[in-house]
Amino acid sequence: MSLPEYKKDFLKAALEGGCLRFGSFELKSKRISPYFFNAGDFYKGKLHKSIMDAYAQTIATSELADGFDVIFGPAYKGIPLAATVFYALVNMDSAKYGDAAYSFDRKEAKDHGEGGSIVGSPLKDKRVLIIDDVVSAGTAKREAIDKIRAASGTVVGIVVALDRQETLPEGDGKTSAIGQLRKEYQIPIISIVKLDDIIDGMKGVISDGDIKNIEEYRAKYGASD
C-alpha cells in the first residue's frame, strides 16, 4: 500500500536535510542500527515546516483528531513541538482547533512569579495530548503523564515522530517501548512514520544494501506488539 503524501514528503525532507541517515550507528542500548533519526535536526525553516506539518496531518487524520483540548510538550524537545504543531493545526482548521490550547512543563518548578512547573494552558479537567520526538525507554513519557495527572488533567494519547518498532533491550523480546506504554496506560500512541514506513518509502531512493540492512535489523529486533 502506498504511503500517504504527507509521509512521503516528510521522509524526503528528513533524508535531504540529514535528519534521517543510513549507515552504522551505535544506539544508547548499544545496538548497532543501520539508520539514525534525529528530530532535533529539523531546525532550519523548511525542515521545521515539514515536521510541523507532518505532525499536524498525523493528528488530524487520526482517532485523536477531535479528542483533545491541550497539546502538551515535555521539556525540552517537546516544547517547540507543542507550540509549532498547535499553530499548524489551528492554521489547518481554525474552526476545529481555534479553542484548543498548548502547554509544557519546566524541569524544575518555579518558586516565584506565577510559580509551578506547568507553563501555558492549565490542565485541570482537560483532555491532554502529549507530543514528543520518540519513545525510547518510555521514562520521560511516564514522568509527563504523572505531571499531567497531578495537575488534574487526563492524558488521552501520545504522538511522536518515529516508531522504531523494536523490542526493549531488556524486555520480553516481543514488546516495544510504545507497546508497553499503550498496554500500561490504555491510550493510543501514534507516529508520523514507523520503521516499516521508512523501509517502504526508501525503496528505490537509498541503496538496496541499506534496505537489506534495515530489513535484517527489523527481523532481529522487531517488536510484535
Side-chain angles (χ1 to χ4, degrees):
M1 192 169 91
S2 180
L3 293 179
E5 285 303 315
Y6 76 89
K7 291 192 178 191
K8 292 179 183 178
D9 292 343
F10 173 72
L11 287 173
K12 182 174 184 290
L15 182 64
E16 291 178 353
C19 311
L20 175 62
R21 291 176 280 156
F22 301 94
S24 180
F25 308 92
E26 183 174 330
L27 305 179
K28 189 176 181 180
S29 64
K30 300 303 180 182
R31 290 175 180 170
I32 304 301
S33 173
Y35 74 100
F36 185 74
F37 174 81
N38 184 9
D41 284 339
F42 286 83
Y43 51 78
K44 289 185 178 179
K46 288 182 180 179
L47 284 174
H48 189 73
K49 185 179 185 303
S50 72
I51 193 170
M52 177 179 72
D53 290 344
Y55 268 116
Q57 287 283 352
T58 300
I59 294 167
T61 56
S62 77
E63 61 192 293
L64 295 168
D66 301 306
F68 68 93
D69 306 304
V70 178
I71 293 183
F72 180 88
Y76 290 103
K77 281 187 178 178
I79 295 174
L81 291 176
T84 57
V85 173
F86 173 65
Y87 171 81
L89 283 168
V90 174
N91 201 41
M92 177 189 298
D93 191 339
S94 60
K96 179 182 287 189
Y97 299 112
D99 290 324
Y102 79 94
S103 181
F104 59 90
D105 67 327
R106 297 186 177 97
K107 286 287 189 181
E108 296 179 2
K110 189 176 178 183
D111 60 4
H112 60 281
E114 74 277 17
S117 62
I118 304 298
V119 182
S121 173
L123 303 179
K124 185 178 180 181
D125 300 327
K126 299 297 184 182
R127 300 169 300 166
V128 183
L129 173 61
I130 296 173
I131 186 168
D132 214 343
D133 57 346
V134 295
V135 174
S136 297
T139 305
K141 308 304 175 289
R142 290 183 178 87
E143 290 174 354
I145 291 170
D146 287 345
K147 281 190 176 183
I148 292 164
R149 288 178 171 178
S152 300
T154 300
V155 177
V156 294
I158 299 172
V159 57
V160 295
L162 172 66
D163 177 359
R164 291 182 61 90
Q165 295 183 287
E166 69 179 73
T167 57
L168 288 161
E170 298 179 2
D172 59 7
K174 299 178 181 179
T175 307
S176 66
I178 283 180
Q180 190 174 73
L181 283 174
R182 280 195 190 108
K183 184 177 180 180
E184 187 175 340
Y185 293 102
Q186 295 296 300
I187 55 174
I189 303 176
I190 60 175
S191 61
I192 298 174
V193 292
K194 53 190 178 181
L195 181 55
D196 287 344
D197 294 329
I198 292 177
I199 294 171
D200 291 343
M202 290 293 103
K203 285 179 179 176
V205 178
I206 61 175
S207 72
D208 291 342
D210 282 333
I211 292 291
K212 182 173 180 290
N213 289 338
I214 300 169
E215 290 176 332
E216 289 175 351
Y217 185 86
R218 177 83 168 98
K220 184 175 183 180
Y221 296 117
S224 58
D225 52 16

